[in-house]
Amino acid sequence: MSEKQFTSEEALAKKEAENTIKNYSRVANMLVDGYPDLLPQEKWLYVCLVRLCGKEGTRFLSLRYISERTGFSIGALSACKKTGSPGMLKRLHEAGLIHAEIKKMIDNKGNETKNAQFHVTITDIW
């Protein structure tokens, strides 16, 4: 691992620690009783995203990072063109629990980086 990658991951971890809600994350009870079309795994992903987005409720996250932090595979998180499956993130977006859109990242020189990230915003369902 290069020093630049380590520094980037270290900075990301520090920012996450600053924005994390200490010791617990709150989710609405209606998540449990409502949303009958969502699978339990998708509801758990929502809880994990609430934790990852922290107090601000919004954050840029790569699929790889979400996968590493939640335990869900990248394939389960993203849409599959072969099967037509929308993926867990898209299903949460369609249910109105999150707003997720893919954003290209721009480096210091104004060029697009290789990997796009999801800009995830937790929707206030209360």
Side-chain angles (χ1 to χ4, degrees), residues 88-102:
M88 296 171 77
L89 289 171
K90 184 166 177 123
R91 288 185 39 87
L92 289 176
H93 177 83
E94 290 171 349
L97 290 171
I98 65 170
H99 177 74
E101 66 180 298
I102 297 174

Side-chain angles (χ1 to χ4, degrees), residues 14-122:
K14 184 177 179 182
K15 181 176 178 172
E16 183 177 322
E18 291 171 358
N19 290 324
T20 300
I21 302 166
K22 303 293 183 211
N23 300 323
Y24 67 91
S25 296
R26 293 178 55 177
V27 290
N29 287 335
M30 69 186 293
L31 179 68
V32 176
D33 300 325
Y35 303 96
D37 294 337
L38 291 179
L39 299 170
Q41 295 87 343
E42 292 164 336
K43 293 178 182 184
W44 178 247
L45 175 60
Y46 173 76
V47 172
C48 292
L49 290 173
V50 167
R51 181 178 57 82
L52 291 175
C53 289
K55 295 177 200 173
E56 294 176 5
T58 187
R59 187 162 172 205
F60 285 96
L61 301 165
S62 70
L63 278 176
R64 181 182 298 186
Y65 185 77
I66 296 170
S67 175
E68 289 171 355
R69 296 303 305 263
T70 63
F72 292 110
S73 70
I74 291 174
L77 294 170
S78 61
C80 179
K81 292 178 183 176
K82 286 184 180 179
T83 63
S85 169
M88 296 171 77
L89 289 171
K90 184 166 177 123
R91 288 185 39 87
L92 289 176
H93 177 83
E94 290 171 349
L97 290 171
I98 65 170
H99 177 74
E101 66 180 298
I102 297 174
K103 297 268 187 167
K104 292 281 186 181
M105 302 306 291
I106 308 296
D107 65 14
N108 295 341
K109 298 177 184 175
N111 300 320
E112 288 185 357
T113 59
K114 286 192 274 182
N115 299 325
Q117 292 189 335
F118 276 90
H119 183 244
V120 178
T121 303
I122 304 300

